[in-house]
Amino acid sequence: MENRLKPMDAEQLREYGHKMVDFIADYYKTIENFPVLSQVEPGYLRNLLPDSAPNQPDSFQHVLDDIQAKILPGVTHWQSPNYFAYYPSNSSVAGFVGEMLSAGLNIVGFSWITSPAATELEIIVLDWLAKMLKLPEDFLSAGQGGGVIQGTASEAVLVVLLAARDKVLRRVGKDALEKLVVYASDQMHSSLQKACQIAGIHPENCRLLKATSSTNYALSPEFLSETISQDLTIGLIPFFLCATVGTTSSTAVDPLLSLGKIAKSNGMWFHVDAAYAGSACVCPEFRHYIDGVEEADSFNMNAHKWFLTNFDCSALWVKDRSALVQALSTNPEYLKNKASQANMVVDYKDWQVPLGRRFRSLKLWMVLRLYGLENLQCYIRNHIKLAKHFENLIAQDPRFEVVTPRIFSLVCFRLLPVRNDESHGNKLNHQLLDAVNSTGSAFISHTVLSGKYILRFAVGAPLTEEKHVNAAWKVLQDKATSLLAESL
Ligand code: PLP
């Protein structure tokens, strides 16, 4: 019989914590035994669990057994070395122990006073990361700017959109909301559209400008200029431009410098979303992809994607922190305190949507300290090397083509349509995706570019090695052979 579990008890925590760490370590040891993409059917869990919570405590071992038997089959294994879908979402030893410490302390650091170390470490660690990325000094905390950890890139774009909206409305009058216009390419992540919905931007004033293969799916500055001019002519107010470095579909890189100049000359807020590719820019040879970031008002990268920091950790920097604070601050009596009232401190509650916030800087700090810049650079370079290797494998098989130039660690490719029949080609690639993913031995995802169904192979899981890339390619080739034979 186990001892009754107390709400908190150091020795019980030690015992359960050790058991859980062992369970997780064993998970990582055997992770390749699971199908990468969960193969369960919708609703599978309802039949496996009771209708209501137990009245009496269950045993820890019993719960662990249920996790093994009932939960893990419904898990898609993002940390599997055979995971190549979407973009990665990295876990690491350093990120994990940092997350553990954050869970252990379990503070809620909305104001400086609620845990001074949480606020101060976040400021320092984001300054460190800004320096690793060689961001302009204006983004550092010493001036008017600074960094903040948001949960996701979606929250990052939302808070800067709100800051930009309120800033322009202070200038042109609050009744002008319906005239405000937002610009991005149609390759921009859907989070911008959601942010516009929340911010009350008229849906027809959200301009998602078509990007084509002629620019490798990057936003054309000329097209942007023309559209802004047309909007100005009819009395609209352009106020927000969002560029992406490493788009979700195909890692397209928008030309930051020229876009930023257009934004500046029109008094617009310029946000750069480098959610995935930002991590690569800590390597000197990839830093040029964010050249022009000096024109930006805000910059975002997800350390939880490809930077060994467990989810969630989305780093956002702004040049004018007061714009964020003006849009998002509240000052209720029950939160007043000397340091905040005297304006001596940062209260991160005023830089984000929720009040409560976790001590997320701990895990990023651990990642930066326990790996160091050089190891992080090697980590990124290795994935890019593996992606190049995959690209070479495709090039050797005339049945396939690489569809867009590979820039980082994502390869966009497809099985060529038989007899130039594009619609059959789309169906074929869709079937290939399903066939590969249903084997459970690799997981890839898809997109559509210029009407073509494209397969995406994103290298970036921490355990992936060349043998995993080769094995995934073999599955792709074998499945392609069967599908082509069937379609003859
Ligand atoms: N921006 C880009 C370029 C992305 O690729 C993604 C997700 O993959 C996002 C934003 C949204 O990320 P999040 O889940 O952090 O909101």
Side-chain angles (χ1 to χ4, degrees):
M1 270 296 276
E2 279 179 279
N3 290 338
R4 194 177 60 82
L5 193 61
K6 297 174 189 146
M8 180 48 75
D9 175 274
E11 291 313 320
Q12 282 185 333
L13 177 67
R14 196 187 309 282
E15 183 196 334
Y16 282 67
H18 282 173
K19 279 189 189 154
M20 187 53 94
V21 168
D22 281 343
F23 183 88
I24 296 167
D26 287 342
Y27 167 70
Y28 275 98
K29 225 173 188 169
T30 55
I31 195 164
E32 285 188 63
N33 298 344
F34 298 97
V36 196
L37 174 66
S38 169
Q39 306 287 317
V40 300
E41 293 297 325
Y44 88 101
L45 196 53
R46 186 146 306 278
N47 297 330
L48 299 179
L49 294 185
D51 279 345
S52 47
N55 276 332
Q56 296 304 317
D58 219 332
S59 78
F60 189 53
Q61 189 54 51
H62 196 190
V63 177
L64 285 183
D65 291 345
D66 271 356
I67 293 171
Q68 196 79 50
K70 299 170 183 170
I71 301 297
L72 288 184
V75 168
T76 288
H77 301 277
W78 286 66
Q79 306 312 319
S80 164
N82 301 312
Y83 178 97
F84 303 102
Y86 314 117
Y87 279 137
S89 185
N90 283 179
S91 160
S92 68
V93 178
F96 175 80
V97 295
E99 188 71 56
M100 210 172 160
L101 181 56
S102 169
L105 300 178
N106 201 36
I107 61 102
V108 185
F110 47 81
S111 303
W112 176 85
I113 195 167
T114 63
S115 260
T119 299
E120 297 198 13
L121 185 64
E122 188 159 328
I123 295 172
I124 292 167
V125 170
L126 286 198
D127 277 351
W128 283 12
L129 187 53
K131 287 179 192 165
M132 288 165 75
L133 289 162
K134 305 220 173 336
L135 293 185
E137 297 232 323
D138 306 357
F139 285 115
L140 300 183
S141 63
Q144 304 303 308
V148 55
I149 300 177
Q150 304 282 333
T152 61
S154 306
E155 290 164 65
V157 74
L158 171 62
V159 295
V160 296
L161 184 74
L162 295 172
R165 180 198 66 182
D166 288 4
K167 195 170 176 176
V168 69
L169 289 180
R170 279 194 292 278
R171 196 178 64 199
V172 300
K174 61 180 177 352
D175 294 339
L177 180 62
E178 63 186 25
K179 292 188 180 159
L180 302 187
V181 191
V182 169
Y183 303 82
S185 91
D186 63 354
Q187 299 299 303
M188 172 75 210
H189 188 269
S190 60
S191 51
L192 177 65
Q193 196 195 331
K194 191 182 270 192
C196 287
Q197 285 165 216
I198 298 170
I201 305 302
H202 258 236
E204 59 272 33
N205 287 358
C206 190
R207 306 256 178 280
L208 297 180
L209 307 178
K210 195 166 180 52
T212 63
S213 59
S214 68
T215 57
N216 284 328
Y217 299 97
L219 176 56
S220 145
E222 293 74 31
F223 189 18
L224 173 70
S225 274
E226 278 165 31
T227 315
I228 290 177
S229 300
Q230 284 163 9
D231 286 337
L232 286 170
T233 319
I234 54 171
L236 295 176
I237 306 170
F239 86 106
F240 191 84
L241 169 64
C242 190
T244 308
V245 174
T247 57
T248 313
S249 274
S250 68
T251 66
V253 176
D254 289 335
L256 301 190
L257 192 59
S258 25
L259 295 177
K261 287 197 184 309
I262 296 169
K264 199 172 249 173
S265 65
N266 287 283
M268 298 160 72
W269 184 292
F270 181 36
H271 177 63
V272 176
D273 173 358
Y276 152 75
S279 300
C281 300
V282 299
C283 300
E285 68 273 31
F286 302 119
R287 169 59 178 78
H288 67 94
Y289 287 112
I290 54 167
D291 281 358
V293 66
E294 54 282 3
E295 301 294 331
D297 296 282
S298 47
F299 178 82
N300 171 231
M301 70 83 106
N302 278 354
H304 64 239
K305 274 192 161 54
W306 193 19
F307 209 60
L308 289 177
T309 312
N310 289 41
F311 190 83
D312 54 351
C313 187
S314 182
L316 168 70
W317 291 269
V318 291
K319 280 187 182 164
D320 175 14
R321 57 179 179 258
S322 72
L324 267 187
V325 173
Q326 286 185 72
L328 297 168
S329 100
T330 54
N331 190 19
E333 185 56 41
Y334 45 83
L335 298 182
K336 283 184 182 157
N337 65 85
K338 211 161 90 191
S340 300
Q341 296 302 101
N343 249 335
M344 290 160 64
V345 292
V346 166
D347 287 332
Y348 273 129
K349 71 179 175 56
D350 299 336
W351 298 45
Q352 63 175 22
V353 174
L355 175 75
R357 61 199 323 272
R358 308 192 311 119
F359 200 164
R360 284 181 291 222
S361 55
L362 279 175
K363 62 187 166 189
L364 184 54
W365 188 50
M366 295 241 182
V367 165
L368 300 185
R369 288 190 63 182
L370 296 176
Y371 296 118
L373 177 57
E374 281 182 17
N375 276 320
L376 289 162
Q377 289 170 334
C378 288
Y379 176 72
I380 297 283
R381 286 179 185 131
N382 183 47
H383 284 149
I384 293 179
K385 198 177 91 195
L386 292 178
K388 267 187 198 160
H389 171 66
F390 184 73
E391 191 184 19
N392 289 335
L393 293 173
I394 294 174
Q396 287 160 30
D397 187 333
R399 300 172 302 170
F400 287 86
E401 69 167 354
V402 174
V403 179
T404 54
R406 183 207 47 76
I407 304 177
F408 303 103
S409 70
L410 171 73
V411 183
C412 290
F413 69 107
R414 66 172 186 156
L415 191 53
L416 282 164
V418 185
R419 294 177 292 277
N420 286 332
D421 179 348
E422 284 294 343
S423 84
H424 182 250
N426 285 351
K427 201 169 135 210
L428 198 63
N429 280 285
H430 198 157
Q431 286 170 335
L432 180 57
L433 178 95
D434 287 345
V436 169
N437 289 343
S438 66
T439 64
S441 56
F443 180 27
I444 58 173
S445 60
H446 82 282
T447 189
V448 172
L449 289 170
S450 305
K452 290 180 189 159
Y453 192 96
I454 310 290
L455 305 179
R456 295 171 74 269
F457 190 88
V459 183
L463 291 166
T464 302
E465 296 172 27
E466 191 175 309
K467 64 179 181 191
H468 302 107
V469 173
N470 290 341
W473 174 235
K474 172 91 176 42
V475 177
L476 271 156
Q477 280 188 309
D478 289 350
K479 293 292 172 191
T481 303
S482 317
L483 282 170
L484 288 171
E486 280 165 27
S487 67
L488 280 180

